Amino acid sequence: MRSRSPATATLLLTLLGGCNKDYPNPFADQIATRPPSADASLVFTANGWASAPGQGREMFSVSSSGASLTRLTFCNDNGRLCDAIEATLAPDRQRGILRLRDQDTNGDGVLSAEDGESLVYVDLTRQATAVLVEASQQVSGMDWSPNADLLVYSALGSGGEDLFRTNPVRPTADNLQQTRNLSCPLAADGSTPACDRSIRERRPRIDPSGSVACYERIAADGKGQIWIFQNQTALFPVTSGGAGSAPLPGTPYVVGSDADPDFSPNTTAIVFRRLSATGNAGQGNWDILAIDADGSNLRSLATGAAWRGAPDWGPDGTIVFAEIDPATDVPSLVRINADGSGRVTMLSLAAGFRLDSPRWLAR
């Protein structure tokens, strides 16, 4: 497995599938992996390893310039079927977690949300993996604390779609207490309280200090808002959503919904995306916005008729997100400054491929 040269040209990810000759052991039950290179700046998921669109995604790393593009997971090799929807690494850059689809539970020959989404721990150096949360719990988001071995994630729980915290080890009879439902915690007597199952709490992200989290909260009306979580009794909204009410089919969102928040490096602001219109081949049009953590100074950073994925605010102050050109169906990794200026396309795939969920790495 070799590091790759600069990757700013379209189709370069596709070429990886044809060039790679270092296949994982077909007799091993683990996902073959490798750690990112020393100059890697972020990770993301993509299916550009394949010769044609429609295959499952793998985790890749790349530098901020678009150089040193490297495939980090090999889950789809040797006839195995899987889809790495989202990935993030620990501060040591050697371990991480994947939101993964790898079981065709309904037998239709494809991997989809109907098959469930698990949370999988991966040690990239040792090529070791372990399922932390089963696919039946429909994991919808996750994050690794920037300064501790602590994970937060969203999945089905006693209160519907809830927020959880856990440690990056497989739950056993000895450590089940490490996993706690933050949205609908157990009562003092160990019973489960009645929680409002119409409220969906999802897509959590931990702030750079490791002390609070932001997340998206969707009430019964379907209008997503960005909230901050300090503890079970100290949580409050930061946004109220935008105009609109038309549902985006196949998603929990209506037009005007705010989703996928992330803190700025100094924790004073939050970047997120807002659904501005339906259509766009069912993906919707999404704008990138930022707001101060106290709910003031809402500003638009990237707008227009295009699908834009979850943004990530890096330690150098720049923001990265995936975007699909509606005219060409070409997906790209885009980096902008905190005020929306300085747009740079870091790399692009061929039309029809998938590229998602970029996350900056610890430096």
Side-chain angles (χ1 to χ4, degrees):
M1 292 178 280
R2 300 177 294 275
S3 296
R4 301 306 190 220
S5 56
T8 53
T10 300
L11 288 177
L12 187 52
L13 276 176
T14 304
L15 295 177
L16 285 173
C19 294
N20 175 51
K21 302 301 182 185
D22 299 317
Y23 301 111
N25 181 356
F27 303 105
D29 192 34
Q30 299 290 333
I31 300 172
T33 61
R34 64 169 298 169
S37 60
D39 64 341
S41 299
L42 57 88
V43 294
F44 61 96
T45 62
N47 62 358
W49 59 271
S51 59
Q55 304 301 310
R57 288 159 285 187
E58 300 277 7
M59 176 166 48
F60 288 83
S61 66
V62 71
S63 72
S64 59
S65 67
S68 301
L69 179 67
T70 306
R71 182 177 172 182
L72 304 183
T73 62
F74 297 82
C75 186
N76 285 279
D77 283 357
N78 301 302
R80 181 173 179 170
L81 189 66
C82 76
D83 186 21
I85 307 163
E86 187 175 13
T88 189
L89 296 190
D92 62 17
R93 299 161 58 100
Q94 307 299 305
R95 300 168 298 147
I97 46 177
L98 298 172
R99 190 158 63 94
L100 193 69
R101 297 174 186 154
D102 64 350
Q103 300 293 326
D104 181 18
T105 57
N106 59 10
D108 63 358
V110 297
L111 295 177
S112 67
E114 295 179 355
D115 297 310
E117 298 168 357
S118 60
L119 184 65
V120 176
Y121 167 87
V122 56
D123 187 316
L124 297 173
T125 301
R126 299 179 180 179
Q127 300 196 36
T129 60
V131 176
L132 301 179
V133 182
E134 298 293 339
S136 59
Q137 287 189 249
Q138 297 282 357
V139 177
S140 57
M142 82 287 189
D143 198 21
W144 194 307
S145 175
N147 53 20
D149 272 356
L150 173 68
L151 311 179
V152 294
Y153 66 93
S154 54
L156 296 182
S158 55
E161 191 170 11
D162 294 337
L163 303 180
F164 296 82
R165 59 153 288 174
T166 192
N167 298 91
V169 294
R170 183 178 177 85
T172 67
D174 295 327
N175 64 29
L176 280 175
Q177 70 275 12
Q178 295 179 344
T179 299
R180 297 210 312 263
N181 188 322
L182 300 176
S183 302
C184 191
L186 294 177
D189 62 359
S191 64
T192 301
C195 298
D196 189 345
R197 297 183 63 87
S198 69
I199 296 176
R200 306 179 69 163
E201 295 170 303
R202 59 201 315 271
R203 308 292 296 154
R205 297 296 299 273
I206 304 173
D207 81 302
S209 72
S211 58
V212 300
C214 57
Y215 65 101
E216 64 181 61
R217 181 183 187 272
I218 305 175
D221 63 0
K223 183 66 64 76
Q225 300 176 342
I226 305 305
W227 282 54
I228 287 179
F229 180 99
Q230 292 179 318
N231 54 57
Q232 281 87 6
T233 59
L235 54 160
F236 52 90
V238 179
T239 74
S240 56
S245 59
L248 183 63
T251 77
Y253 303 114
V254 300
V255 173
S257 289
D258 296 336
D260 295 300
D262 185 39
F263 282 103
S264 64
N266 61 8
T267 321
T268 63
I270 295 173
V271 66
F272 62 98
R273 64 177 185 149
R274 174 174 288 176
L275 181 62
S276 59
T278 59
N280 195 10
Q283 301 175 100
N285 294 328
W286 294 83
D287 296 338
I288 304 297
L289 299 94
I291 193 169
D292 289 353
D294 63 2
S296 65
N297 193 25
L298 178 68
R299 59 267 195 194
S300 176
L301 306 182
T303 188
W307 177 87
R308 297 178 181 87
D312 192 77
W313 209 326
D316 67 350
T318 61
I319 296 166
V320 66
F321 54 90
E323 181 180 86
I324 299 177
D325 186 327
T328 63
D329 200 28
V330 167
S332 299
L333 272 184
V334 176
R335 188 179 74 247
I336 59 175
N337 295 325
D339 61 0
S341 66
R343 177 187 168 100
V344 174
T345 298
M346 299 172 63
L347 62 88
S348 298
L349 278 65
F353 281 84
R354 292 292 306 272
L355 186 156
D356 293 290
S357 304
R359 298 278 190 105
W360 292 104
L361 294 172
R363 302 302 298 178

